[in-house]
Amino acid sequence: MSPDPAARPQEGARRLSHARVLDVDPLLEDPKTRIVVCCGAGGVGKTTTAAALGLRAAERGRKVVVLTIDPARRLAQSMGIDSLDNTPRRVKGVDDSAGGELHAMMLDMKRTFDEIVEAHADPERAAAILGNPFYASLSAGFAGTQEYMAMEKLGQLRARDEWDLIVVDTPPSRSALDFLDAPKRLGSFLDGKLIRVLLAPAKVGGRAGMKFLNVGMSMMTGVLGKVLGGQFLKDVQTFVAAMDSMFGGFRTRADATYKLLQAPGTAFLVVAAPERDALREAAYFVERLAAEDMPLAGLVLNRVHGSGADRLSAERALAAAENLEDPRIVDQGGGKAGIRNSPDTYGSSDTHEGDVPDAATPDTDTQDADTQEAGTQDPDTPDADTPERSVDQLASGLLRLHADRMHLLAREQRTRDRFTARHPEVAVTEVTALPGDVHDLSGLRDIGARLATVHPELPETDV
């Protein structure tokens, strides 16, 4: 018995029979959930997902801050804010009837580093560090600094205990794993052998320190000076001496934030598009989170395509398009069957005796080429410019577009099925692709509603 059309899932809904379904609302409404981290490869919609989750949680009564690391400033635009900086700013236009609030901020990597220096060094030493050329390079673009500072800012926000929920949009790194790896890498650099060697003269102090530098390090500094430049090496040594008392703090805070990410109040959401590379990256991240004992809430499969006419297969749509484009493939009307099946109608050089024009007719000599060509056309075949033919061409084009859409759906389904077969334990929610970009709170609400949509009635796939 065919299924009741009224009972079919909404347009664009995808089939999730082989995966657990992620229910977002209970996660956002649970007061024990204090941090939600949106992670994944670049360009999959992490920023929009984080903003939509933050807005949905705020309008359900929670005091939320969304921390984005995306320099494109899309979050500020979608929330109606001129610009975001290192200070949380309240978002206007949020439905606060449930008592919630939404704040947003964008990580300023250098400013966050400056705040750490100012908080953990006396004014004189802080001024020396902030004015050091090597520090300027380190704080502005050292590999892993952005990810490390994101972790620092997360730790600062959580320590203030001002918000019920912190939603983190991880940096647009080459690899989603960089967010977890960077704090250890930067900590290892600051605690590494090179730093300790450069720090040794300052720790010895006075003339003994200079003697040690001249004797014990002359060879090393000579080599480094040639490679890096003498002034650069001096800047590094000055920076290291000034930062001596702070190095242990970097490692301690990185470890503390790492443990915070492992705590029960944290939930990771892996965001991916239904594409092979994005889901491969998502699979790596799922496995890494499991290895690090970090709590994974589920997978957000973003920009999934759908169709309200998915009962019409690609093959049938293409066949129908071909019939419209070339009506001779099949008989489409009983009254024309004789004409279309006649061997004389198409491609025959013979004519019936009654059809031969009188040679004495004067119009034969004056007929131009266009008129002659028109005279040989089958009167029952619609001209290309007739309304009937235009409708056929339009219908054929639409059928071919539908066939392309069905092929896309099948490809996305196969890609998704490969992921869920590999990780059946991961709960999944899917967000249907929108026709345009999200640029206001209304669009974010729409995304939030799609994130929270659960389809327990979805049938099994046969794609």
Side-chain angles (χ1 to χ4, degrees):
M1 183 175 67
S2 61
D4 180 5
R8 296 181 64 217
Q10 68 178 26
E11 179 179 347
R14 304 290 288 154
R15 297 179 279 270
L16 295 172
S17 59
H18 300 300
R20 293 172 51 213
V21 178
L22 173 63
D23 195 351
V24 170
D25 281 346
L27 176 69
L28 297 179
E29 295 169 359
D30 186 354
K32 295 180 181 179
T33 304
R34 302 298 303 274
I35 298 172
V36 173
V37 181
C38 296
C39 52
V44 295
K46 294 193 302 292
T47 300
T48 301
T49 299
L53 290 170
L55 176 61
R56 191 169 183 86
E59 294 188 333
R60 277 158 177 71
R62 305 201 69 183
K63 188 174 181 181
V64 186
V65 60
V66 177
L67 168 63
T68 182
I69 297 92
D70 187 350
R73 302 185 184 276
R74 291 190 301 270
L75 181 62
Q77 295 171 358
S78 63
M79 291 184 171
I81 300 175
D82 292 336
S83 63
L84 292 176
D85 54 24
N86 222 35
T87 302
R89 301 188 181 280
R90 186 165 183 175
V91 178
K92 299 179 181 179
V94 176
D95 181 1
D96 58 1
S97 58
E101 297 179 10
L102 178 61
H103 300 250
M105 61 181 298
M106 186 176 72
L107 177 72
D108 185 328
M109 180 175 62
K110 188 178 186 311
R111 183 58 200 150
T112 301
F113 212 150
D114 292 349
E115 290 172 354
I116 296 171
V117 172
E118 292 167 351
H120 295 88
D122 58 74
E124 183 178 353
R125 179 170 292 189
I129 295 172
L130 297 178
N132 185 276
F134 178 73
Y135 169 79
S137 300
L138 177 69
S139 60
F142 188 81
T145 304
Q146 185 181 51
E147 288 81 1
Y148 180 87
M149 291 306 150
M151 297 281 261
E152 280 275 357
K153 182 57 67 175
L154 173 59
Q156 292 175 9
L157 293 173
R158 185 67 182 86
R160 290 166 63 179
D161 203 26
E162 184 176 348
W163 290 276
D164 299 334
L165 178 65
I166 303 169
V167 182
V168 182
D169 164 36
T170 55
S173 307
R174 179 190 60 81
S175 170
L177 302 179
D178 288 347
F179 180 67
L180 296 179
D181 290 333
K184 290 184 177 180
R185 288 204 308 269
L186 187 61
S188 298
F189 166 75
L190 294 176
D191 291 340
K193 292 181 179 179
L194 174 61
I195 293 296
R196 289 200 300 270
V197 170
L198 293 174
L199 186 60
K203 284 193 171 183
V204 174
R207 294 183 178 180
M210 291 303 297
K211 182 178 180 181
F212 178 86
L213 176 64
N214 291 333
V215 176
M217 295 184 62
S218 59
M219 183 176 296
M220 188 199 75
T221 54
V223 173
L224 290 177
K226 291 179 181 178
V227 175
L228 303 176
Q231 183 59 45
F232 179 79
L233 182 59
K234 183 178 180 181
D235 292 338
V236 172
Q237 290 172 331
T238 304
F239 164 77
V240 170
M243 291 282 287
D244 177 23
S245 62
M246 299 180 57
F247 286 153
F250 280 102
R251 172 73 72 175
T252 300
R253 288 191 301 277
D255 291 343
T257 305
Y258 211 74
K259 290 179 180 178
L260 182 63
L261 293 176
Q262 294 174 317
T266 299
F268 279 84
L269 287 175
V270 179
V271 184
E275 301 166 359
R276 183 181 59 182
D277 291 344
L279 279 173
R280 182 186 294 118
E281 192 84 2
Y284 291 153
F285 206 97
V286 167
E287 293 162 5
R288 172 65 185 277
L289 290 173
E292 298 288 341
D293 294 323
M294 293 189 175
L296 173 65
L299 171 74
V300 174
L301 200 55
N302 202 14
R303 300 169 186 162
V304 176
H305 294 87
S307 173
D310 54 4
R311 289 187 177 181
L312 176 61
S313 68
E315 291 73 16
R316 290 180 59 193
L318 287 174
E322 290 171 356
N323 290 340
L324 288 171
E325 292 164 357
D326 190 350
R328 289 172 289 179
I329 294 178
V330 295
D331 294 334
Q332 295 182 334
K336 298 181 181 179
I339 296 174
R340 288 175 176 162
N341 292 333
S342 170
D344 297 330
T345 303
Y346 298 98
S348 174
S349 59
D350 298 330
T351 56
H352 293 289
E353 184 176 351
D355 294 335
V356 178
D358 188 349
T361 303
D363 292 341
T364 302
D365 297 329
T366 60
Q367 223 175 15
D368 60 32
D370 292 338
T371 307
Q372 290 176 10
E373 183 178 353
T376 62
Q377 183 175 349
D378 184 350
D380 291 315
T381 301
D383 187 82
D385 296 330
T386 64
E388 180 182 351
R389 189 58 188 153
S390 298
V391 171
D392 286 351
Q393 290 174 335
L394 177 61
S396 173
L398 292 174
L399 285 166
R400 289 189 177 278
L401 285 175
H402 176 75
D404 290 342
R405 172 56 65 92
M406 296 308 295
H407 285 142
L408 174 62
L409 265 62
R411 183 168 63 253
E412 289 182 353
Q413 187 73 37
R414 289 192 299 270
T415 305
R416 200 278 339 256
D417 285 347
R418 282 196 293 270
F419 175 88
T420 55
R422 183 176 177 180
H423 295 286
E425 77 284 0
V426 178
V428 181
T429 186
E430 298 189 345
V431 180
T432 308
L434 296 177
D437 293 334
V438 175
H439 51 77
D440 55 18
L441 289 180
S442 178
L444 291 176
R445 287 192 188 95
D446 189 7
I447 293 292
R450 293 166 187 256
L451 278 165
T453 300
V454 178
H455 302 287
E457 77 285 6
L458 297 185
E460 290 197 5
T461 176
D462 54 2
V463 176

